[in-house]
Amino acid sequence: MSGGYGQPALPDKNRVAVLQNIAHKMRVHIVNMTDASGSGHPTSSSSAADILSCLFFHVMHYSVEEPRHGSSDRFVLSKGHACPVLYAAWCEAGLLSKEHILTLRKPDSLLEGHPTPRQNYIDVATGSLGQGLSIAAGMAYCGKYFDKASYRVFCIMGDGETAEGSVWEAAAFSSHYKLDNLVAIVDVNRLGQSEATALGHSVDVYKARYDAFGWNAIIVDGHDIMAVCKALLTAATTKDKPTALIAKTLKGKYFPGVEDLDNWHGKPLGKQSGPALEAVKALITDNGPHGLSPRPIKDDAPKITFPKVQLCEPPKHTMGEKIATRKTYGEALVKLGKNYSRIVALDGDTKNSTFAITYKNCCPERFVECFIAEQNMVGVGIGLGCRARNIVFVSAFAAFFTRAFDQIRMGAISQTEVNFVGSHAGCSIGEDGPSQMALEDFAMFRTIPGAVCFYPSDAVSAERAFELAANHRGVTFTRTSRPATAVVYENTETFEIGKSKVLRKSDGDKVTVVGAGVTLHEALAAHKTLQAEGINIRVVDAFCLKPVDKALMVECGKATGGRIVTVEDHYFEGGLGEGVAAAVAEDGGVKVHRLAVTGIPRSGPAALLMEDYGISANCIVKAVKKMLA
Amino acid sequence: MSGGYGQPALPDKNRVAVLQNIAHKMRVHIVNMTDASGSGHPTSSSSAADILSCLFFHVMHYSVEEPRHGSSDRFVLSKGHACPVLYAAWCEAGLLSKEHILTLRKPDSLLEGHPTPRQNYIDVATGSLGQGLSIAAGMAYCGKYFDKASYRVFCIMGDGETAEGSVWEAAAFSSHYKLDNLVAIVDVNRLGQSEATALGHSVDVYKARYDAFGWNAIIVDGHDIMAVCKALLTAATTKDKPTALIAKTLKGKYFPGVEDLDNWHGKPLGKQSGPALEAVKALITDNGPHGLSPRPIKDDAPKITFPKVQLCEPPKHTMGEKIATRKTYGEALVKLGKNYSRIVALDGDTKNSTFAITYKNCCPERFVECFIAEQNMVGVGIGLGCRARNIVFVSAFAAFFTRAFDQIRMGAISQTEVNFVGSHAGCSIGEDGPSQMALEDFAMFRTIPGAVCFYPSDAVSAERAFELAANHRGVTFTRTSRPATAVVYENTETFEIGKSKVLRKSDGDKVTVVGAGVTLHEALAAHKTLQAEGINIRVVDAFCLKPVDKALMVECGKATGGRIVTVEDHYFEGGLGEGVAAAVAEDGGVKVHRLAVTGIPRSGPAALLMEDYGISANCIVKAVKKMLA
C-alpha cells in the first residue's frame, strides 16, 4: 500500500533501523543541548524523538534550503517546550550544525527556549499550550480550499495540553471541514509538569474523544518506528477526515533513572546525563551519516505576492448620512476583495451582527465560518496567514476577542498579520447588557507589540481604516460601532496610521476634546452646545489609538491652554485616555481629564447609558466647564 | 424508582399536565416580555421552557424567599441570552410579578438583557457563551467536597455554545472529579445566531462526545415533560459521574411561522406574536394557579461567614535576605489557611512553579488541581466563590491568565471575589522566552472593574499583599516574581490597598523613580549609582498598581522638580507607567518618562534581558540623567 504523494510506502527493515538511529542521535543532541544551556525540557523532547524521525526522514516533503517553501509540508510543534527535539531534527536534516544547537537558550542565539519564527523553519511561536492544532487547521484549510495543493500539515501535541479547550475547538473545526490533509499526533507520555496528567496512559480515552469529535483516531506505540510509519500511511490514505495518532510514549524514554519518572519536567539531566548518553549511544548501530534526505516537494501551491490592496472604488457617502461602521466593514471587505482574491474573512456565528455576512454573500468561497469558538477562530486565522498566503480578517463582538487574548498575544510572537475587527463595543450597544459590551478591547489590543488600533467614527474613515489594515504587515484591531453614526469626512479625505484629525478648531479654543468612534459625535455635540455659550473647544478624532498621535495631542493641548479632555466608550484603563495622557505627560505642561465608563453598565437605551456612565455630550460639557473653572 | 432527596419519583399524569401548562404559561410570558422590550431572545427561550418547568416545579429544591440559601440547588443558565425563560420561571414560582417581568431590558429594571447577580436569584452573570458549565462544576465541587451537602447543580447550555472549548475543559474536570451532583442539559435547538450549528440535530454526536468525556449522557426529547423528568431521575441516581441530558428541541417551539426556522435569533416575534400567543394559549388546559411549590431544601450545608483573615504569624524575614515572591505565595497561603479553613487554592499543573504546591502539601483537601485548562480553572474558582462559601486563590503563570480574560471579565460582572496570583512575569524570567513572559497582565487585570492589583517587591510586602487580597471583597490580582529579590521592608511594616511606599528620600531629590516588583530593585541600584555621582533620586515602590496612589505620585513628582521616571517589567501599555502618567496628568505639571519593555524579548539571562529591553538599573540611570539634561 502506498499513499502516493501524501505518504510513501512503509519503510523496509533497513530504513527502520536508520530512522531509529536518527531518533537516538536526536536524543544525544537533546541531552547535550539542555546540558549546555542548563535549562530546558529534555524528557518532553525524548518522548517525541521517534515520531519526529519518522516525520522528518520518511514522511514529510520539505526543503532544507527553503524551509518556508509555499508547497512544503507544514510542521507545528504545539508542545513548544519540547523544541530541543525540533532543533535536533533540523540538525539531522542538515540545516543546523551540532555546534550551533549547543547555543540553545543562550543570548544572541535564535534557538530560544520555545520555538519562534525568528528561525526560518518555524512558522509560528508555540509555548502557550493547546494552540498549535488551531494554527495547523488554518494551514490545512488553506492547503485544501485556497491553495488546493498537495502539501499536508502535521501537528505534535503533548497529552497535558489536550486539557485545553482550544484543542477541542480545533478538533471540531477540522472534522467539520473534512481536513484530511491534517494529522495530529498526541505524544501521550503520561506526565505533566507537576504531576501525572488527568488521563495518564489511558490512550483508549484519547481515542474515544478524537473519534467522537469526528477524527480517524489511531492508537500507536510512539517509540515503534514501523508502527508510527504505518499509522501515518493510514492517515495519508484516509479521506474526508483528519487523523489523530494517539502515541503512547514515555517521558525521558531511554534515559536511565529518568524515563517515566515524575519530577523530571523542564530540567536538564544533570548527573543523569552521563548514563543517558551512554545508554542512548549504545543503541546507535551506525554512527556514520544517515544518508536520508527529505521527500521532494510537489510544487503545486500557487505563488502568492501581496500587492498594495486598494478599495476598488473610493468611499461614496454623503456628509451627515448615518451608517454604522460595522455595516461599513462588510462593504469595505467587498471593495477590497474585488481587487485582490486572497482576502479571507472569518467569523464565529456573529456574521449577521459584525456584517462579515456581506463579504460571505459576495465571496462565499473566501469566508470561513468558525462557529462559537473564538480561540480556534484566531488560531485558524493565524494559520491562514502563515507564509504570507492570505490577508486575513477576523471579526467578532469585540468583547469576545478577550476569549482569545492568549492566542492573539502568541500571534504577535508568531509575527502574524491578522486583522481583527470587533463590533458591539461599549455601553452604546444598549439593551444587551454588560456581558456583550467590550470595554477593555483597546487595553487588550494596545498591549500587542506592533499592533495598530483603529477606531473609526464614520463610514469614510472606516473604509480607509480597513484599507490601511489590509496593507499593514502586523496585527491590526479595528473597533466598529453598533449605532449608526453620521458621516463627518469628505469622501476624498486621506488617513494614515498614527494620525488623528482635528475636526473643530478656532483661535480661541479653551480645551481640546479627544473622542473616537461614538464619542467623537458626543464631542461634536458638546462643541455645538459650548459654542452657543461662547466657549470654543477643539475637537480631535483620535481615529488611530495606537500608535497615538503624540505630536498632534501635544500641539492641540498646548494650543488650548494646556487642557485636554478625553472621552471614550471604554473603561478608564488602557484605552484612549491613558494612551493620550501618557503621551503628553512625556513633555508635561498639559492637563488631561479623562472621561470613560465608570462601573459596570446595565441594560438600557444607548443614549441613556452614555449619560449614566459618564461619556455623553452633556458629560463633556460639564467636564470642559469644570476644567475652565 | 425514587431518587430520594436528589430527585422525586416520576410525575403522574396529572402533574405532567400541570408542568406542561406551566411551560406554556412561561412561553406566554416570553412573548409578552420580548414584545414589550422590543428586543431579546424569545425563540432561544421557548426551546428551553419545558426543561425549566421540570426543573423548577418538579426537581429542584429551593426557596423563593431566600433564593441564595446555602443549601438550595444551584441553577446556572449558561445560555444567558435565553434569560426571558428564567425570568418567566421565577414569575411562575411567585418571586416576580407579571407586570415586573414586562420591564425586561428597560432602564432601571434589574431584568437585564442577560442575567446578572444584580438579581437575588442569579449567582453569576452569563451571556458570554460556554462559561456556565465551569462555574456549575465549581459549585458542584464545593457541594461534594467542601460542603459535603445534599444540594445539586443544574446547568442549561445552548447547543451552539458547546463549540466553545471551555465547555470541554469543564466536561473533563467534572468527570475527573466524579461530580455526580452536577447535571448539564444541552438545549439542542439546532439553530445558531447566523446559521445552523455545525452539528444541527445530531444528538448522537453530542452524546458520543459527552460519553467520551466521562459523562452519563442521555438523549431526550426536550419538549416531552415525562421524558425530561425520567432522565433527570436517572441523573439523580447515577453515582460517580456527572449526567448530561442531550435535549433535542426546536427553537421557537410552538410559535407558528417561527418554530425551527432560521433568522429568528435575538428578535421579538413582531407580527408573529399574535399567532404565537394564540397557539400557545390554546394549549393551556388550566388557566388557574398551578399550585406547585419548590421542593423543600435539606439544610445540610454548613453556615459560612468570612472573618477578617490574618496571617497566623507576622512575616519573619531578614532585611536583605533574597526570596522569590512566588515562593512567599505558598507560604502566605499556609499562614492564612491556618487561621481560616475556607481558603481554597487552585492551580493548573504549574503548582511547583507558582508554589501553590506549598499549600497543597499543607492542606491537600483545600487544593484543587485543574490541569492545563485555565478557562475552566477560573470558572471553577468563580463557582467555588459563589454565595460567599470560600475565599478562592487561583494561580498560574501570569501570561496564561490571558487565556481566561473573558472568564475574568465576566467574573467581575458576576461580582466574584476570586484572587488571582500570576507568577513568571516579564522578561526577568529569562531563558524560557517570550511565550512564558507576562508583559500584559497588568493591562488586563487593571481593566477589571473594582479589581485591586498588587505587585510586591519583597517577601514582607508579598505576605501582606496576600493577606489584603484574602480580605478584599472583589477581584484581586497579585503578580509574583520568579527571581529571588532582597527583603526591603521591616517585618513590622504595614501595607494598604492603593498605597505606595517611599523607600529612598532626601531633600535634594531631582527625580522620582517609581518601580515595582523586580524593577524596584533596579531603581534602588540606580539610586546608589546616582548618589555616588551626586544625584539624589526618590525611589517609590508602587506596591499597588490599582488603585494607583495618585496623591503620593503627585506629591513626589512635585517634590522632585516635576519629574517622574516609571520602570516596569511589562509592555508600555496599560501597566504601571500609563497608570501613573494618567494619574498625574489630571493635575498637570509633572513630566513622566516611562521605561518599559520594548519589543518582544527573547531567551537569555534575566539581567541581560532587563538591560537589552530597557528596564535595568543602568537604563534608569540614563533616563534620570537625560531628564535632568
Side-chain angles (χ1 to χ4, degrees), chain B residues 173-296:
Chain B
F173 177 90
S174 304
S175 61
H176 182 75
Y177 287 109
K178 304 183 193 307
L179 301 178
D180 48 14
N181 55 346
L182 173 63
V183 180
I185 303 166
V186 189
D187 179 5
V188 186
N189 68 20
R190 191 182 72 80
L191 294 170
Q193 171 180 323
S194 70
E195 63 177 80
T197 64
L199 295 177
H201 264 147
S202 305
V203 285
D204 52 325
V205 177
Y206 287 101
K207 176 173 160 52
R209 292 187 182 179
Y210 276 93
D211 281 338
F213 274 75
W215 287 55
N216 174 36
I218 305 169
I219 293 171
V220 67
D221 176 349
H223 300 305
D224 179 336
I225 297 283
M226 182 58 99
V228 171
C229 288
K230 200 171 161 189
L232 289 169
L233 178 55
T234 305
T237 51
T238 298
K239 291 294 159 210
D240 294 334
K241 272 187 175 192
T243 294
L245 269 60
I246 313 300
K248 186 173 178 178
T249 62
L250 297 180
K251 197 159 175 172
K253 176 73 179 173
Y254 297 120
F255 300 159
V258 173
E259 179 183 291
D260 201 31
L261 294 177
D262 220 332
N263 290 317
W264 278 104
H265 182 92
K267 52 181 84 162
L269 300 189
K271 65 181 171 48
Q272 293 304 112
S273 288
L277 287 171
E278 194 179 339
V280 173
K281 283 177 178 170
L283 297 168
I284 299 174
T285 57
D286 184 347
N287 278 300
H290 56 71
L292 297 186
S293 302
R295 305 260 163 204

Side-chain angles (χ1 to χ4, degrees), chain B residues 365-412:
Chain B
E365 73 290 353
R366 295 190 233 156
F367 175 82
V368 187
E369 175 57 58
C370 294
F371 302 98
I372 308 175
E374 296 80 8
Q375 295 189 80
N376 180 64
M377 175 166 68
V378 170
V380 167
I382 293 169
L384 288 170
C386 276
R387 303 194 185 185
R389 300 199 71 74
N390 298 288
I391 293 175
V392 181
F393 283 83
V394 178
S395 57
F397 281 23
F400 302 146
F401 281 126
T402 57
R403 198 64 159 256
F405 190 11
D406 198 20
Q407 277 78 6
I408 297 166
R409 175 183 81 86
M410 290 296 296

Side-chain angles (χ1 to χ4, degrees), chain A residues 160-487:
Chain A
E161 72 175 308
T162 60
E164 291 283 12
S166 50
V167 169
W168 301 102
E169 296 181 5
F173 177 91
S174 302
S175 61
H176 183 75
Y177 288 110
K178 304 184 196 305
L179 301 178
D180 47 15
N181 55 347
L182 173 63
V183 181
I185 303 165
V186 188
D187 178 7
V188 186
N189 67 22
R190 191 182 72 81
L191 295 170
Q193 172 179 324
S194 70
E195 65 177 73
T197 64
L199 294 177
H201 264 149
S202 305
V203 285
D204 54 325
V205 177
Y206 286 101
K207 176 174 160 51
R209 291 186 184 180
Y210 275 92
D211 280 338
F213 273 75
W215 287 55
N216 173 36
I218 305 169
I219 293 171
V220 67
D221 175 348
H223 300 306
D224 180 335
I225 297 283
M226 182 58 98
V228 171
C229 288
K230 201 172 162 187
L232 289 170
L233 177 56
T234 307
T237 50
T238 298
K239 291 292 158 209
D240 294 335
K241 272 187 174 191
T243 294
L245 270 60
I246 314 300
K248 186 171 178 179
T249 61
L250 297 180
K251 199 161 174 170
K253 176 73 177 174
Y254 296 120
F255 300 160
V258 173
E259 179 184 291
D260 201 32
L261 295 178
D262 220 332
N263 290 316
W264 278 104
H265 182 91
K267 52 180 83 160
L269 301 190
K271 64 181 171 50
Q272 292 307 110
S273 288
L277 286 173
E278 195 180 340
V280 174
K281 282 178 180 171
L283 296 169
I284 300 175
T285 57
D286 184 348
N287 277 299
H290 57 70
L292 297 186
S293 300
R295 305 254 165 209
I297 291 166
K298 183 171 174 187
D299 192 5
D300 58 359
K303 300 278 173 288
I304 308 284
T305 49
F306 289 162
K308 180 163 160 47
V309 185
Q310 290 182 298
L311 297 167
C312 68
E313 54 177 7
K316 286 189 174 172
H317 301 291
T318 310
M319 199 67 98
E321 179 192 4
K322 285 199 164 186
I323 309 165
T325 51
R326 60 176 173 142
K327 197 154 169 283
T328 307
Y329 169 55
E331 291 160 5
L333 273 194
V334 169
K335 288 170 81 166
L336 291 164
K338 280 194 178 157
N339 264 349
Y340 187 60
S341 66
R342 282 275 169 166
I343 290 188
V344 175
L346 285 68
D347 194 281
D349 196 22
T350 58
K351 59 185 175 290
N352 52 346
S353 294
T354 60
F355 281 92
I357 199 168
T358 311
Y359 192 62
K360 186 194 173 183
N361 290 341
C362 163
C363 316
E365 74 289 352
R366 294 191 237 157
F367 176 82
V368 187
E369 175 57 58
C370 295
F371 303 98
I372 308 175
E374 296 80 8
Q375 294 190 78
N376 179 64
M377 175 166 67
V378 170
V380 167
I382 292 169
L384 287 170
C386 277
R387 304 195 184 181
R389 300 202 69 76
N390 298 286
I391 293 174
V392 181
F393 283 84
V394 177
S395 57
F397 282 24
F400 301 146
F401 280 126
T402 57
R403 199 63 159 258
F405 189 10
D406 199 18
Q407 277 76 7
I408 297 166
R409 175 184 81 86
M410 289 295 297
I413 306 176
S414 294
Q415 303 173 6
T416 191
E417 299 178 356
V418 170
N419 304 295
F420 299 95
V421 181
S423 69
H424 290 72
C427 70
S428 55
I429 70 160
E431 285 78 3
D432 273 340
S435 62
Q436 318 293 302
M437 296 171 177
L439 290 158
E440 55 290 286
D441 49 339
F442 281 116
M444 178 173 78
F445 278 105
R446 285 183 66 245
T447 67
I448 301 302
V452 170
C453 298
F454 298 112
Y455 190 8
S457 304
D458 79 343
V460 173
S461 55
E463 284 196 42
R464 294 302 183 187
F466 296 119
E467 188 181 42
L468 287 167
N471 289 288
H472 180 68
R473 302 278 71 86
V475 168
T476 72
F477 169 63
T478 306
R479 189 199 248 203
T480 64
S481 300
R482 187 172 190 276
T485 50
V487 171

Side-chain angles (χ1 to χ4, degrees), chain A residues 105 113-114 118 129 164-165 169 193-195 349 351 353 374-375 403 432 446 578 585 592 600 603, chain B residues 105 113-114 118 129 164-165 169 193-195 349 351 353 374-375 403 432 446 578 585 592 600 603:
Chain A
R105 291 170 167 249
H114 292 78
R118 286 167 175 154
L129 292 167
E164 291 283 12
E169 296 181 5
Q193 172 179 324
S194 70
E195 65 177 73
D349 196 22
K351 59 185 175 290
S353 294
E374 296 80 8
Q375 294 190 78
R403 199 63 159 258
D432 273 340
R446 285 183 66 245
E578 286 197 350
V592 181
I600 297 172
S603 294
Chain B
R105 290 171 166 249
H114 291 78
R118 285 167 176 155
L129 292 167
E164 291 282 12
E169 295 180 6
Q193 171 180 323
S194 70
E195 63 177 80
D349 195 23
K351 58 185 175 294
S353 294
E374 296 80 8
Q375 295 189 80
R403 198 64 159 256
D432 272 342
R446 285 183 65 244
E578 285 197 351
V592 181
I600 297 172
S603 293

